[in-house]
């Protein structure tokens, strides 16, 4: 994944990664995970394919009960699951470890079927018990699910974002005023449980008009974007609350009668597009109107 490694070592956290996720040791440099700083952990890069979330059943591979330890990654069940979804499992595991395991730690896996070796870097530390090899608690399942949803990108693009919230144990992820200034645009909130059949949900944390579009369509949308298994349910304010009104993030969201811990995201201004800004973005279409789906000003009329 590509995150700009500017001299942006802000006091919160920054995991810089290149390529698309967890990688075999033979892989090329642009596929390797690079830890920028063990003390910085939540300005991160997204790009997890939504298809990877759809095709990988996290309740069927034994991970939830065996944990993210060497023993948990060496079971026949995990190996079978990993190979059954060979196209998406490496990247998904990279994001799982990134979300669940603390910065400065890694998880290694050798594929018993192919001999390929993988090393995945931790970052956010949202599920310390599960990361140590214990069965995942419900809270850990939920907060890791929210983190995976927050990192998913419908277009497969790798975009820097600020990730805010609390671990499964209630510890707040650190952030700085500089981070909030750099990632000044509120984006969305994410919650649910990918380990069960409850679903995975996103909602927008800002006003969003039909003239606007974004590379982050799953969180910011006014229509039924294809982000399965993530369902956009509307606005964060409809379902979510903050433990403290001064906080820049929500602590929980309630949907379908169930309350979940949530992850809140922010993006940089350049990730938001508006019909009429003079550039025909890939998220905009030609037409005769003023909306992203019919933007004459930027994309012209359709021939």
């Amino acid at each position: 994944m590509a995150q700009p490694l500017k001299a942006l070592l802000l006091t919160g956290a920054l995991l810089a990664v290149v390529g698309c996720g967890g990688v075999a040791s033979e892989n090329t440099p642009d596929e390797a995970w690079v830890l920028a700083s063990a003390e910085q952990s939540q300005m991160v890069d997204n790009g997890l394919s939504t298809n990877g979330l759809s095709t990988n059943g996290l309740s069927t591979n034994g991970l939830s009960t065996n944990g993210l330890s060497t023993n948990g990654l060496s079971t026949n069940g995990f190996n079978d699951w990993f190979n059954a979804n060979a196209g998406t499992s490496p990247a998904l595991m990279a994001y799982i470890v990134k979300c669940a395991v603390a910065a400065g730690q890694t998880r290694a896996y050798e594929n018993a079927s192919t001999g390929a070796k993988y090393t995945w870097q931790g970052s956010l530390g949202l599920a310390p018990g599960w990361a140590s090899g214990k069965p995942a608690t419900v809270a850990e399942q939920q907060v890791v699910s929210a983190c995976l949803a927050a990192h998913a990108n419908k277009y497969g693009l790798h975009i820097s974002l600020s990730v805010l919230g609390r671990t499964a144990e209630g510890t707040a992820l650190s952030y700085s005023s500089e981070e909030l200034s750099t990632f000044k645009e509120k984006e969305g909130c994410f919650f649910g449980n990918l380990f069960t059949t409850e679903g995975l949900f996103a909602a927008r944390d800002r006003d969003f008009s039909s003239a606007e579009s974004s590379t982050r369509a799953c969180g910011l949308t006014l229509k039924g974007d294809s982000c399965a298994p993530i369902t956009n349910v509307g606005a964060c304010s409809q379902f979510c609350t903050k433990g403290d009104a001064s906080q820049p993030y929500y602590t929980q969201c309630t949907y379908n009668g169930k309350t979940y811990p949530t992850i809140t995201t922010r993006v940089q201004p350049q990730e938001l597009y508006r019909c009429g800004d003079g550039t025909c973005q890939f998220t905009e279409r030609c037409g005769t109107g003023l909306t992203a789906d019919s933007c004459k000003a930027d994309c012209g009329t359709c021939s």
Side-chain angles (χ1 to χ4, degrees), residues 138-157:
V138 172
E140 288 179 325
Q141 292 178 16
Q142 293 171 337
V143 74
V144 169
S145 295
C147 181
L148 291 174
H151 285 82
N153 190 292
K154 171 185 175 180
Y155 303 110
L157 298 176

Side-chain angles (χ1 to χ4, degrees), residues 46-83:
N46 86 112
L48 176 61
S49 166
T50 52
N51 184 55
L53 294 177
S54 300
T55 59
N56 288 269
L58 296 186
S59 62
T60 62
N61 64 7
L63 266 187
S64 61
T65 54
N66 294 319
L68 292 173
S69 65
T70 300
N71 290 337
L73 300 181
S74 62
T75 64
N76 290 333
F78 178 79
N79 195 66
D80 291 344
W81 167 84
F82 193 87
N83 287 312

Side-chain angles (χ1 to χ4, degrees), residues 85-111:
N85 303 280
T88 56
S89 294
L92 179 59
M93 279 304 301
Y95 281 99
I96 288 175
V97 173
K98 176 181 181 179
C99 290
V101 179
Q105 299 182 27
T106 62
R107 294 295 181 270
Y109 166 66
E110 182 172 355
N111 191 321

Side-chain angles (χ1 to χ4, degrees), residues 138-140 142-143 146 166-168 190-192 250-253 259-263:
V138 172
E140 288 179 325
Q142 293 171 337
V143 74
R166 295 177 177 176
T167 71
F190 301 83
F191 53 97
Y250 297 93
T251 52
Q252 62 181 34
C253 299
T259 299
Y260 301 89
T262 185
I263 290 295

Side-chain angles (χ1 to χ4, degrees), residues 214-270:
S214 172
T215 55
R216 295 270 298 165
C218 296
L220 288 174
T221 185
L222 295 175
K223 56 185 181 180
D225 283 283
S226 178
C227 288
I230 303 171
T231 300
N232 191 292
V233 295
C236 298
S237 57
Q238 293 176 265
F239 309 100
C240 308
T241 58
K242 297 181 177 181
D244 181 336
S246 65
Q247 293 172 337
Y249 59 88
Y250 297 93
T251 52
Q252 62 181 34
C253 299
T254 301
Y255 189 73
N256 286 336
K258 193 169 186 66
T259 299
Y260 301 89
T262 185
I263 290 295
T264 304
T265 55
R266 299 167 68 99
V267 296
Q268 298 180 74
Q270 60 264 33

Side-chain angles (χ1 to χ4, degrees), residues 113-154:
S113 302
T114 66
K117 297 179 181 180
Y118 298 81
T119 299
W120 298 302
Q121 300 280 359
S123 176
L124 297 173
L126 295 174
W130 191 40
S132 71
K134 298 177 182 178
T137 64
V138 172
E140 288 179 325
Q141 292 178 16
Q142 293 171 337
V143 74
V144 169
S145 295
C147 181
L148 291 174
H151 285 82
N153 190 292
K154 171 185 175 180

